[in-house]
Amino acid sequence: MIEQIEFTLRPLPRGIHLITADVMRLLPRLPHRGLLNLLIKHTSAALALNENADPDVRHDLDAIFNNLVRENAPYYLHTDEGSDDMPSHAKSVIVGSALTLPVTDGRLNLGIWQGIYLCEFRNNGGPRCVVATVIGE
């Protein structure tokens, strides 16, 4: 069985957002056993898997990314869309645009402290489109 859907996540402010519950609500029924691949169709946001319990982790990750890739660097050529644009592209390359997650007994087989994040790197990123591909039996 292979099933593929697209869904749109509501606009979120710049930052790292736990979206596991949103994703699960929008997915079709998961198979007994298989894989879920999620691809965000944007170059200025990313998907990640990380600590889902302590909100300080999200704050700290955002601070780390903003320190690693600063706005207004004098060597940026791609600057027409604002000071957050080029840094958002670089951050999305660092984090990645896709996740592949195991499915067991019709549920995501994640660690107890793991959750799915939308990493929104733009100040006003808008709605984000995600392609979900479910492969399983």
Side-chain angles (χ1 to χ4, degrees):
M1 160 219 155
I2 298 176
E3 188 170 351
Q4 189 172 76
I5 64 161
E6 288 192 29
F7 57 85
T8 302
L9 298 169
R10 71 189 190 290
L12 291 166
R14 183 172 171 167
I16 312 298
H17 304 279
L18 186 62
I19 59 165
T20 310
D22 296 326
V23 169
M24 293 308 298
R25 182 177 42 80
L26 297 165
L27 287 177
R29 186 169 175 259
L30 294 176
H32 176 69
R33 181 177 38 207
L35 295 171
L36 168 66
N37 180 268
L38 300 171
L39 171 78
I40 190 164
K41 294 175 70 173
H42 302 274
T43 60
S44 56
L47 295 174
L49 188 68
N50 213 302
E51 155 84 48
N52 69 357
D54 185 352
D56 287 345
V57 171
R58 296 189 288 275
H59 174 272
D60 291 349
L61 285 171
D62 191 43
I64 289 166
F65 289 126
N66 291 332
N67 193 41
L68 266 170
V69 184
R70 297 184 183 273
E71 293 186 14
N72 299 311
Y75 48 84
Y76 293 159
L77 299 177
H78 179 72
T79 59
D80 293 342
E81 296 179 49
S83 62
D84 66 333
D85 189 38
M86 189 58 229
S88 70
H89 295 309
K91 293 171 188 176
S92 74
V93 167
I94 292 168
V95 177
S97 59
L99 292 174
T100 299
L101 306 168
V103 174
T104 306
D105 296 328
R107 296 183 1 230
L108 293 182
N109 192 347
L110 302 179
I112 191 167
W113 304 115
Q114 290 181 314
I116 301 169
Y117 284 139
L118 168 67
C119 303
E120 178 55 71
F121 297 126
R122 294 299 306 264
N123 292 327
N124 297 297
R128 297 302 192 172
C129 183
V130 175
V131 178
T133 305
V134 180
I135 303 167
E137 54 185 34

